[in-house]
Amino acid sequence: MEETKRNLCMQYVLLLLIGYFASQLYASSDVKFYESFDEAFDGRWVVSEKEEYKGVWKHAKSEGHDDYGLLVSEVARKYAIVKELHDPADLKDGTAILQYETRLQNGLECGGAYLKYLRPQEAGWTANVFDSESPYSIMFGPDKCGATNKVHFILKHKNPKSGEYIEHHLKNPPSVPSDKLTHVYTAILKPDNELRVLIDGEEKKKANFLSAEDFEPPLVPPKTIPDPDDKKPEDWDERAKIPDPDAKKPEDWDEDAPLEIEDEDAVKPEGWLDDEPEEIDDPDATKPEDWDDEEDGEWEAPKIDNPKCESASGCGEWKRPMKRNPAYKGKWYASLIDNPSYKGIWKPQQIPNPNYFELEKPNFEPVAAIGIEIWTMQDGILFDNILIASDEKVAESYREMKWKPKFLVEKEKQKAEEEAAGISGGLKGVQKKVFDLLYKIADIPFLSEHKLKILDLIEKAEKQPNMTIGILISVVVVVFTILLKLVFGGKKPAKTTEESKKTEVAETSNNQENTEEKEEQNDDTTAPPRRRNTRRDN
């Protein structure tokens, strides 16, 4: 009994200590903004009154937890809500951390779940008119629809020369987790211009704000630009090759020779039934009782294959088959030679960029408000624990205390549900590893041009798990093909002038031949025999 009391006492003291340290953490000067949604958001967050935003926000518990969040409650709606900060958060000096949780309780096939960090608005702006045009400094978070599958990081940066705000998108951003668990997204902005994007505390992307390799367009504009007033001269010749003016068509080149001719050596097979049609009326067919000749027309029995033709070598009128004409050469074209007047592809001259500026570090605008302005086809998206801080350890502590306990519970529940549904843990685990690997492959920088194609394949595999192996093979083929192109680069040994002429003539003839061959095939194609309906369509 005494031992039990001591244990209860120790637990109580431990809870008090945790509560004390938690309160100290939340009161830390390193925390510039924090929203737990433990209390109803009414009066603190403002829902946009703009007509297009009909989505209803709710203060609701995360499924399976006692923890509350801000919930997207309806499908196929636009949503907009904003929270103005009492004191704008300065992101310029030192480290800045943007972090929040989101849970896609019903999955996410098409929609956004990102935050907008708004800069100070113009005079007269009010929160109830928040919309897609409200200027923001940073947009951060997941977005998935069709071929789009990325965790956005977009910086709107002001050009000090032009005064224009430009959207700079992080290149090759990480993909969105495909499950229905709670995930925490973290963006760490360092004073040395480094950006790190974390998902569930794991680094998924590292970039440099001033690197042209990491942002599109680059924050620092080019020093020179094409002269908009420069025009291509009228006599500028961009043709690298021209037809040889001295080339002449050979005397024996017959352009009118047909592609195919009758095979004169062909003979009619024995047993060919000239007087038997290939199809006959179905003798077993009868005119439907409800057939109306005046309304439906004269009834005709449907056609069937003539049974007499099954044992014969053929039926109907026999014609000699066609064969390729050995005299066919197609239209003659002069071979191509190097153009003596070739000047290359014309480009306007470069002039100094009037909007060029040098930059030591980005000029981050202060965060005056945090908004969620999204369009989504899914409901059940839950936002929680929005944090702006200046200490990475503080952000990590919030992940450990707020996010991780929920995540672990959800993982266990997911595992139990899969086992109850009879899903093999081994197979499911293998598939998850495969999907994780595929998403990592899609994020490889040199595959950026083909990322959409790879993501499309992955999404098909997720919807049809039995296709996992086939999809994996497809992705491997895509990657292998790209690697071959990168290694060999399409390089070919140089040809002599004579070889080039022969190749060009051959290619020209082949192209023309293929075109005419297709045309001949189209002309010879006949439609299948028309069959009459045996009954009226209702």
Side-chain angles (χ1 to χ4, degrees):
M1 190 68 177
E2 290 295 326
E3 183 68 23
T4 302
K5 288 182 178 180
R6 277 197 297 270
N7 288 339
L8 289 173
C9 185
M10 288 297 293
Q11 292 177 12
Y12 180 70
V13 172
L14 183 59
L15 287 172
L16 287 176
L17 288 173
I18 291 175
Y20 171 76
F21 285 118
S23 65
Q24 291 300 307
L25 175 64
Y26 299 159
S28 169
S29 61
D30 293 319
V31 177
K32 299 182 178 182
F33 173 80
Y34 176 64
E35 173 60 82
S36 67
F37 293 106
D38 289 340
E39 303 295 333
F41 62 84
D42 297 336
R44 296 183 297 109
W45 288 72
V46 178
V47 177
S48 176
E49 297 176 1
K50 287 293 190 73
E51 178 64 24
E52 64 265 34
Y53 299 104
K54 298 182 182 296
V56 176
W57 296 96
K58 288 187 178 180
H59 182 240
K61 289 182 179 180
S62 180
E63 184 179 334
H65 304 291
D66 289 328
D67 186 41
Y68 282 86
L70 182 64
L71 179 69
V72 169
S73 67
E74 298 178 304
V75 300
R77 289 285 188 270
K78 284 186 175 182
Y79 292 81
I81 192 170
V82 67
K83 164 67 176 176
E84 293 186 275
L85 278 60
H86 292 297
D87 298 309
D90 188 0
L91 306 183
K92 285 185 179 180
D93 299 324
T95 298
I97 298 102
L98 310 176
Q99 180 171 286
Y100 75 103
E101 297 172 17
T102 187
R103 185 181 184 189
L104 313 174
Q105 296 179 131
N106 297 324
L108 182 63
E109 292 185 4
C110 189
Y114 42 79
L115 301 188
K116 288 184 175 180
Y117 298 84
L118 277 62
R119 65 177 185 260
Q121 306 295 297
E122 295 181 356
W125 182 88
T126 55
N128 63 344
V129 297
F130 170 57
D131 61 9
S132 61
E133 300 301 318
S134 300
Y136 66 86
S137 295
I138 293 173
M139 191 174 103
F140 173 53
D143 187 18
K144 184 178 181 182
C145 193
T148 299
N149 185 330
K150 65 179 72 173
V151 178
H152 285 289
F153 187 93
I154 304 174
L155 172 65
K156 268 196 173 181
H157 192 262
K158 184 178 182 179
N159 183 310
K161 287 288 188 70
S162 67
E164 181 183 5
Y165 282 91
I166 306 294
E167 282 189 3
H168 303 277
H169 293 244
L170 177 65
K171 288 184 179 180
N172 306 311
S175 301
V176 181
S178 58
D179 53 44
K180 301 178 182 180
L181 309 179
T182 301
H183 293 283
V184 56
Y185 297 88
T186 309
I188 303 174
L189 290 62
K190 304 288 288 183
D192 62 356
N193 297 324
E194 181 183 85
L195 167 68
R196 294 169 58 213
V197 175
L198 282 58
I199 302 179
D200 298 343
E202 180 182 348
E203 184 178 295
K204 296 294 184 179
K205 177 72 177 180
K206 181 185 287 187
N208 188 296
F209 281 108
L210 302 188
S211 171
E213 300 297 320
D214 292 333
F215 281 87
E216 176 62 36
L219 268 72
V220 178
K223 290 185 177 181
T224 61
I225 59 172
D227 184 354
D229 297 323
D230 194 12
K231 306 297 181 183
K232 181 171 70 173
E234 293 183 0
D235 62 346
W236 190 280
D237 196 338
E238 293 183 332
R239 299 173 300 162
K241 299 282 186 179
I242 59 171
D244 185 355
D246 298 326
K248 295 182 179 180
K249 182 172 69 174
E251 293 182 0
D252 61 347
W253 192 290
D254 184 1
E255 292 186 334
D256 298 324
L259 175 65
E260 290 184 330
I261 57 175
E262 285 189 354
D263 185 356
E264 297 294 339
D265 297 328
V267 295
K268 181 168 66 176
E270 293 185 6
W272 189 280
L273 306 178
D274 294 85
D275 299 327
E276 288 290 339
E278 294 182 15
E279 291 185 328
I280 61 172
D281 292 343
D282 185 354
D284 297 327
T286 58
K287 181 178 178 180
E289 293 181 1
D290 63 345
W291 189 277
D292 187 331
D293 287 338
E294 292 184 0
E295 182 179 337
D296 301 322
E298 183 181 355
W299 181 81
E300 294 179 6
K303 299 291 186 179
I304 62 171
D305 293 334
N306 189 344
K308 294 182 181 180
C309 298
E310 293 181 3
S311 57
S313 57
C315 288
E317 181 184 359
W318 180 81
K319 294 181 179 179
R320 284 189 174 85
M322 303 297 287
K323 69 174 184 179
R324 187 174 183 80
N325 183 3
Y328 172 77
K329 293 185 178 181
K331 186 173 178 59
W332 180 84
Y333 294 93
S335 59
L336 299 178
I337 62 172
D338 291 335
N339 181 3
S341 301
Y342 176 64
K343 295 184 178 181
I345 303 300
W346 182 86
K347 294 180 180 179
Q349 64 178 346
Q350 295 287 310
I351 61 172
N353 183 357
N355 294 324
Y356 171 76
F357 64 93
E358 295 183 355
L359 190 67
E360 293 185 2
K361 59 186 303 183
N363 182 26
F364 296 114
E365 301 275 354
V367 176
I370 296 177
I372 306 173
E373 188 273 321
I374 58 175
W375 176 88
T376 179
M377 293 300 293
Q378 269 72 44
D379 58 355
I381 301 175
L382 193 80
F383 296 87
D384 200 4
N385 294 316
I386 301 174
L387 172 72
I388 300 178
S390 58
D391 190 329
E392 292 184 54
K393 292 183 178 179
V394 170
E396 182 180 358
S397 298
Y398 274 80
R399 291 196 299 270
E400 291 294 319
M401 295 175 60
K402 290 290 186 176
W403 163 77
K404 196 167 187 178
K406 290 185 291 187
F407 180 76
L408 294 177
V409 169
E410 292 162 11
K411 287 282 287 185
E412 286 299 316
K413 182 181 179 182
Q414 177 180 266
K415 182 179 178 181
E417 289 174 348
E418 290 171 354
E419 292 175 352
I423 300 175
S424 166
L427 176 59
K428 194 68 177 180
V430 169
Q431 287 178 337
K432 185 181 184 307
K433 289 180 180 178
V434 169
F435 289 137
D436 289 343
L437 174 61
L438 293 176
Y439 277 117
K440 288 180 179 179
I441 291 175
D443 288 335
I444 297 175
F446 80 84
L447 296 176
S448 59
E449 293 182 5
H450 309 273
K451 183 173 181 178
L452 296 182
K453 182 177 182 180
I454 296 173
L455 289 176
D456 184 54
L457 290 172
I458 298 172
E459 286 187 2
K460 289 180 181 177
E462 287 180 327
K463 293 177 181 177
Q464 304 178 57
N466 59 314
M467 295 174 58
T468 300
I469 300 302
I471 295 295
L472 177 60
I473 294 173
S474 299
V475 173
V476 170
V477 169
V478 171
V479 174
F480 183 69
T481 303
I482 296 168
L483 285 174
L484 284 179
K485 289 182 179 179
L486 288 174
V487 172
F488 296 103
K491 294 180 180 179
K492 298 179 181 179
K495 296 180 180 179
T496 63
T497 303
E498 190 62 32
E499 287 175 333
S500 298
K501 288 182 179 180
K502 290 179 180 178
T503 302
E504 288 157 0
V505 171
E507 289 177 349
T508 302
S509 297
N510 287 337
N511 290 338
Q512 185 68 19
E513 181 179 300
N514 290 336
T515 301
E516 295 190 12
E517 188 170 344
K518 289 179 181 177
E519 292 174 353
E520 291 282 346
Q521 290 173 352
N522 291 335
D523 292 341
D524 292 341
T525 303
T526 58
R530 185 173 67 88
R531 299 173 184 261
R532 292 295 301 268
N533 291 332
T534 57
R535 63 180 179 84
R536 289 178 297 174
D537 292 331
N538 294 325

